Amino acid sequence: MRNLVALVACSFVISTASANDPPNTAPSAAKPVVESVKAASAPAKPVYVPRLSPAAQRAQDEQAEADLAAKIAERLAAMRANQAARVVAASKARKAAEAKRKKAEQTPVVRNGTHWSYEGEQGPANWVNINSEWGKCGTGKRQSPINIRDGMKVDLEPIAFDYKPSSFSVIDNGHTIQVSMAGGNYLTVQNRAFELVEFHFHRPSEERINGKGFEMVVHLAHKDIDGQLAMLALLLERGKQQDLIQTVWNNLPLEKNLPVNPALLLDMNELLPQKREYFTYMGSMTTPPCSEDVLWLVMKQPVQASPAQMALFSRLYPFNARPIQASAGRVIKESN
Ligand SMILES: [Zn+2]
């Protein structure tokens, strides 16, 4: 009977210990059980006189010990199986969490913002973060505007202008005043014809010539039949009133994004400078999405506009110019 008490006590200690053990120590926890069973059975000697014969009593005790040992073994096996299952489940959960984290890392976050500005959180340095399609604004290597200097002076072919009086509409798109032109106005350069789509204004000028900025600039966006852009830049300096700009100002919209369609024609020839020398280089749009492969044609001679005309634009857009971008060794050519 004492054997039995010792065995029960022993099994209680073992099962408590093995239940608290970390999973990887389970096999060693099993070991002492067998030893303990042996140790417990070795010195056993009954101290009272059993009712049964000594042989029968011994047989009964042995049977009880054997039964209990079997139960303990069974219990331990079940605990080990549970622990093994917990280890497998924990490992699976860890792997699943890891796989989820890796997938999240690999899947690019799709951004589809459209609102941008020239200053603050949505300013030029953050354009790249606003929309996933605007990557070039941050990583492009041929961006505009640039400081135009060290141009290669060569005999650049003259730009052939084929502009004619055309109808137009004026819109305040929230970034500038933009004038959309009816079709039929072309410039030809490098044996390619580009059709004028629209023109718009920046203050101050985005481009600089040998470090010098100008009070404003007009960008005339042209597209060829393949959709390639040619951007003609006309620098504006203070001087006499410019009639074509006055016609645009006279027809400024009262509200943003609400176009005005005057019953008038614009003759873009009136805006061109007298001298037609120019700088040329490959760059980009200066607003999102900052697409590259834009052929820039920057006229050397500034066009004059009156201080009152400049002041009027500055009331709407005091500052709408992208900062200078790295020219990164690009070839710049200029008329001799
Ligand atoms: Zn522009």
Side-chain angles (χ1 to χ4, degrees), residues 43-111:
K45 274 182 190 165
V47 291
Y48 60 93
V49 181
R51 278 182 228 161
L52 296 170
S53 69
Q57 182 64 51
R58 204 163 36 246
Q60 196 185 49
D61 283 355
E62 279 171 4
Q63 184 56 47
E65 281 173 24
D67 288 351
L68 190 56
K71 272 185 189 165
I72 291 166
E74 196 182 323
R75 176 87 200 279
L76 283 174
M79 281 169 55
R80 264 186 239 121
N82 278 345
Q83 276 179 339
R86 275 201 298 275
V87 169
V88 169
S91 162
K92 266 189 188 168
R94 258 200 315 277
K95 278 181 188 164
E98 179 71 5
K100 197 176 169 187
R101 191 183 58 77
K102 274 189 182 164
K103 198 180 172 193
E105 272 176 11
Q106 283 162 4
T107 311
V109 179
V110 175
R111 295 176 299 266

Side-chain angles (χ1 to χ4, degrees), residues 200 202 206 219 231 286 296:
H200 59 264
H202 296 275
E206 296 195 301
H219 285 160
M231 199 69 90
T286 63
W296 277 90

Side-chain angles (χ1 to χ4, degrees), residues 134-287:
W134 299 354
K136 286 278 186 240
C137 298
T139 61
K141 295 280 177 267
R142 299 159 91 208
Q143 289 289 293
S144 293
I146 58 169
N147 178 21
I148 297 170
R149 61 190 175 95
D150 301 328
M152 296 175 182
K153 291 197 174 184
V154 290
D155 288 332
L156 279 181
E157 56 162 330
I159 302 167
F161 292 98
D162 181 14
Y163 290 160
K164 59 187 185 194
S166 306
S167 55
F168 65 102
S169 69
V170 185
I171 194 167
D172 178 345
N173 64 18
H175 304 292
T176 186
I177 299 299
Q178 182 173 307
V179 182
S180 296
M181 298 296 293
N185 292 289
Y186 291 90
L187 67 74
T188 302
V189 71
Q190 296 177 0
N191 206 27
R192 277 186 299 169
F194 296 86
E195 187 174 28
L196 179 61
V197 181
E198 52 93 356
F199 66 93
H200 59 264
F201 302 82
H202 296 275
R203 179 181 191 275
S205 75
E206 296 195 301
E207 41 283 280
R208 284 183 210 151
I209 313 291
N210 292 316
K212 181 182 188 296
F214 292 78
E215 189 154 347
M216 286 181 67
V217 69
V218 194
H219 285 160
L220 288 75
H222 301 71
K223 226 177 228 185
D224 78 357
I225 200 163
D226 299 322
Q228 180 159 17
L229 281 173
M231 199 69 90
L232 182 78
L234 305 178
L235 301 158
L236 294 188
E237 65 179 10
R238 280 173 182 244
K240 61 180 194 312
Q241 177 173 300
Q242 215 292 329
D243 290 345
L244 184 141
I245 290 176
Q246 193 56 43
T247 303
V248 175
W249 280 193
N250 291 344
N251 291 284
L252 284 178
L254 294 173
E255 291 200 83
K256 282 189 181 16
N257 297 312
L258 202 69
V260 170
N261 300 284
L264 295 167
L265 300 177
L266 280 187
D267 184 351
M268 295 306 293
N269 290 301
E270 291 176 14
L271 193 59
L272 296 175
Q274 246 180 349
K275 293 182 184 168
R276 302 290 167 87
E277 286 92 12
Y278 62 100
F279 300 94
T280 185
Y281 75 97
M282 290 304 295
S284 74
M285 292 170 65
T286 63
T287 56

Side-chain angles (χ1 to χ4, degrees), residues 2-75:
R2 213 183 231 185
N3 291 354
L4 216 52
V5 172
L7 205 55
V8 169
C10 185
S11 74
F12 177 75
V13 170
I14 289 162
S15 57
T16 309
S18 71
N20 292 335
D21 278 347
N24 58 356
T25 62
S28 67
K31 234 180 174 179
V33 176
V34 182
E35 285 162 6
S36 304
V37 169
K38 278 181 190 165
S41 61
K45 274 182 190 165
V47 291
Y48 60 93
V49 181
R51 278 182 228 161
L52 296 170
S53 69
Q57 182 64 51
R58 204 163 36 246
Q60 196 185 49
D61 283 355
E62 279 171 4
Q63 184 56 47
E65 281 173 24
D67 288 351
L68 190 56
K71 272 185 189 165
I72 291 166
E74 196 182 323
R75 176 87 200 279

